[in-house]
Amino acid sequence: MWGKDGRCRSGYEAIDAFLQSTTPEVLASRRAEAELLFRRIGITFAVYGEANSEERIIPFDIIPRVITRPEWDSLSAGLEQRARAINAFLADLYGPREILKAGIVPEELIYANPAFRPEMMGMKVPHDIYVPIAGIDIVRVDADTFYVLEDNARTPSGVSYMLEDREIMMLLFPELFSRMKVAPVDIYPDELLATLASIAPANAPGVPTAALLTPGPYNSAYYEHSFLADRLGIELVEGTDLFVDNEVVYMRTTQGPQRVDVIYRRLDDDFLDPLAFRPDSALGVPGLIAAYRAGNVTLANAVGTGIADDKAIYSYMPEIVRFYTGSDALLKNVPTYRCREAESLSYVLDHLPELVVKEVHGSGGYGMLVGPAADKKTIDEFAKRLKAKPDNYIAQPTLSLTTTPTFVEQGIAPRHVDLRPFVLTGADKVRIVPGGLTRVALKEGSLVVNSSQGGGTKDTWIVDV
Amino acid sequence: MLSRTAENLFWMSRYVERAESLARILYATSRIAATPSLTREGSNEWESALRTASVLDEFSELYDEANEANVLEFLAFSPENPSSIRSCLERARINARAVRTALTIEIWEAINSSWIELRKFERSDFASRDLSRFINWVKEVSVRVDGSAYRTMLRNDAFYFSRLGVYLERADNTARILDVKYHILLPESEPVGGGVDYYQWSSLLRAVSAHTAYHWIYRDAVKPWNVADLLILRREMPRSMARCYENMVNVLDAIARAYGRQGPSQRLVRRTHGQLLNVRIDDVFQNGMHEFLSGFIDDNNALGQAITDQYLS
């Protein structure tokens, strides 16, 4: 909220005035109200789990995170460019493989990568759209610089929080909405539906039938699946609701089989079809991939998109964007050292106490070194492992993320945030709803925004100034 | 709508209805069993409760004796018994959860809270004096679920399939209660006048909450042919087989209109309903009550299967 010069940043004035004129007691009571509302919705959500499912209600912070319209416009242009490049990259990898022939991305990073799906090679995906739904994680390090932290190109989740957080805020702070011009987000379901319709197979009827495929009520994101299916007005199907006959996908309805043209699947590749992937998957639909290959159904997102958000590929994204769009990436990558390259490796080894070193295929923070927080012994041991297997690691500087005011136990205090906007790529155009999911690290000083580690969410306001 | 959704709604309602029926059976049984002078020589009311619920074999595998404590535990709380009240409420909730978005908040809360409240009754020191409180609670649950469905659901196929579950299950329960007890309705099977029969008939009426209704309709002392008439043929009586079938004819017609197509379910429901309309209670006694009831139970099962084949799979 505050610039380096100590003045209130543009866009935050009304919030600043509001916070100045509002006592902590009033804020606390609004927060209690928000919790109540969330718990109500949350309970509706959490019932899908068992007795202790209440834990899954993610903490919500009542102070919105503000991004001004000009900032958003440039961010949004960068997101669109990135999403287009990701789609072009995937179409190329599973098609002519020009980028490998040009030597921009090393072949072995692709072919030896478990996220690469050889089954997809040479297959035609409708309109070459592989990633109609991307959730691109963004962090901000200063007033002008946004970095892309991760390109989530598989089955990104969290959009229901973007929508629910806004609903709650409009109930709690109508006066702020009347004072500021906040871009609405509730068109997201319409935009998603239009995107899905645009990528239906060529042989689908004018108004194609879409369905949302979920792993079922025991999946942790089931509430989001049911929420979205409701808002989209499409059926929420499990694997057993679908069947394939003569390479066409149908759902079993009370009025007999109904053909399905587009499947928004929230099920991982491995489980989609026991005939094509994991034979023990009871969640999928036998024959689905055959129908997909025959061009009779669209899967959103496509199979094999994980190769585009792989950590090993991430560091090549600036080159990938340039290769397919012909211009420099508008959004920066976090500077990344590839330890597989000798020059980078020696730099990394010399600067371990300042860097974060990650395994390329790791996730969830395992096998990771956070230099500034590690003692000498840990660093020395890690250096040994790094030298033994440099291909397995990348390194990044520790970032000084921006903070936003957050209402915590001690009052209003700065906390670190990230942002996940959702980028919808259709056959006709790219649609980005102005806003996204802002995750906030509620612990003082923490950079970890994951809900499993004390992270919460905030509403994200794109405001006209 | 998805067949699975329709199936979940259908079974959600069936299980709630079944829980209520079991509660009524337990109530009627405990009433008779508590008055030894009213039971017949050599008959075991608790065993006949098991027979009504069609779980005698399952019970015998787990228990030696059909006494009050064992039967109560088995019919009310046993997780081993797939049709105990507990199991019914659990299954109703599992079915409801799977179609959470097809339900209104009110229905979901009625079912979910019943599952939570049930724990209050599941105690090792559950005594027969707690029984009436428990039975009233089960009836309340079913009224809550039914009432919230009536008051809050859209009148579309989701509503229709949940109603079908209620009526199909209810018709089955009424027929079974009668079938187990039909011998007491047979004239001259025992020297009449000892009072035993009279109380047996009343208890049968209580088992279907028809004691007051009987007097309103017949304005007469409780007589076996009237009891049979009330539970089989009287369309005014909500739990009668005729009423259940009249309701199912209407619901299946509504579905056929909405979908623009008739099918085997509509034909079957009309046929059985026609039989109930065209028979008189004297004929039923003349041709054999047991044969009539077993025939009905089979037809009812066939209708359930036809609905499953036509819509739910």
Side-chain angles (χ1 to χ4, degrees), chain B residues 51 56 68 303:
Chain B
R51 207 171 289 131
L56 186 56
E68 176 177 7
L303 176 60

Side-chain angles (χ1 to χ4, degrees), chain A residues 40-104:
Chain A
R40 225 188 115 81
I41 302 166
I43 283 168
T44 318
F45 289 162
V47 290
Y48 298 112
E50 285 312 317
N52 58 355
S53 54
E54 269 183 52
E55 291 168 10
R56 266 201 261 118
I57 300 172
I58 297 180
F60 170 67
D61 181 60
I62 55 171
I63 304 178
R65 187 256 187 94
V66 174
I67 295 171
T68 63
R69 178 59 79 168
E71 290 170 336
W72 172 258
D73 287 342
S74 71
L75 180 60
S76 169
L79 290 168
E80 173 165 353
Q81 180 197 44
R82 191 131 176 147
R84 286 189 189 281
I86 287 172
N87 276 298
F89 175 55
L90 287 163
D92 185 24
L93 275 191
Y94 292 119
R97 297 187 291 285
E98 301 289 352
I99 196 162
L100 303 185
K101 289 173 195 158
I104 309 257

Side-chain angles (χ1 to χ4, degrees), chain A residues 124-350:
Chain A
K124 179 84 182 120
V125 164
H127 306 280
D128 278 344
I129 310 280
Y130 284 75
V131 185
I133 304 127
I136 297 180
D137 287 347
I138 301 285
V139 289
R140 185 171 202 180
V141 291
D142 59 46
D144 307 310
T145 317
F146 291 99
Y147 282 136
V148 174
L149 204 55
E150 224 172 89
D151 302 284
N152 295 289
R154 301 171 205 210
T155 53
S157 62
V159 79
S160 57
Y161 286 99
M162 171 176 91
L163 299 170
E164 289 291 356
D165 287 0
R166 177 61 54 85
E167 289 296 318
I168 303 272
M169 288 302 284
M170 292 186 76
L171 285 171
L172 290 181
F173 299 99
E175 66 271 42
L176 276 177
F177 283 92
S178 63
R179 240 179 284 167
M180 301 168 72
K181 274 190 166 168
V182 182
V185 292
D186 52 8
I187 48 164
Y188 180 82
D190 293 347
E191 298 281 66
L192 176 55
L193 199 59
T195 301
L196 294 174
S198 78
I199 54 169
N203 60 12
V207 181
T209 301
L212 195 158
L213 176 61
T214 172
Y218 296 100
N219 184 275
S220 61
Y222 183 70
Y223 81 86
E224 177 159 300
H225 305 163
S226 60
F227 173 87
L228 282 177
D230 256 10
R231 294 296 165 96
L232 291 165
I234 64 178
E235 293 289 357
L236 177 65
V237 297
E238 295 175 26
T240 52
D241 294 321
L242 300 178
F243 68 96
V244 177
D245 183 32
N246 205 10
E247 296 185 335
V248 172
V249 184
Y250 298 93
M251 40 182 186
R252 301 173 212 272
T253 79
T254 51
Q255 301 189 68
Q258 186 183 347
R259 183 169 176 167
V260 180
D261 307 298
V262 183
I263 299 178
Y264 174 24
R265 51 93 171 209
R266 298 290 296 261
L267 189 61
D268 291 341
D269 286 358
D270 274 340
F271 298 97
L272 280 176
D273 179 353
L275 300 181
F277 304 121
R278 281 178 62 154
D280 59 334
S281 168
L283 303 172
V285 186
L288 179 59
I289 296 302
Y292 185 42
R293 205 169 276 136
N296 290 332
V297 68
T298 299
L299 294 179
N301 291 347
V303 172
T305 55
I307 189 70
D309 66 17
D310 191 75
K311 282 203 191 69
I313 301 300
Y314 170 83
S315 68
Y316 294 91
M317 280 309 291
E319 287 96 320
I320 290 171
V321 171
R322 197 175 312 118
F323 186 77
Y324 296 108
T325 66
S327 39
D328 284 339
L330 299 171
L331 287 175
K332 291 181 184 152
N333 257 23
V334 178
T336 302
Y337 304 96
R338 301 167 195 142
C339 302
R340 63 201 307 277
E341 292 166 8
E343 206 177 308
S344 300
L345 178 64
S346 78
Y347 175 87
V348 170
L349 286 168
D350 288 347

Side-chain angles (χ1 to χ4, degrees), chain B residues 253-292:
Chain B
D253 272 348
I255 293 174
R257 268 198 307 280
Y259 292 171
R261 203 184 309 169
Q262 302 258 344
S265 315
Q266 281 81 9
R267 280 195 295 280
L268 269 182
V269 77
R270 233 178 279 287
R271 199 178 71 196
T272 307
H273 185 228
Q275 284 163 2
L276 292 167
L277 286 179
N278 293 323
V279 77
R280 287 177 314 129
I281 202 67
D282 299 349
D283 306 334
V284 173
F285 277 110
Q286 216 101 65
N287 300 329
M289 171 91 115
H290 174 64
E291 287 69 21
F292 178 82

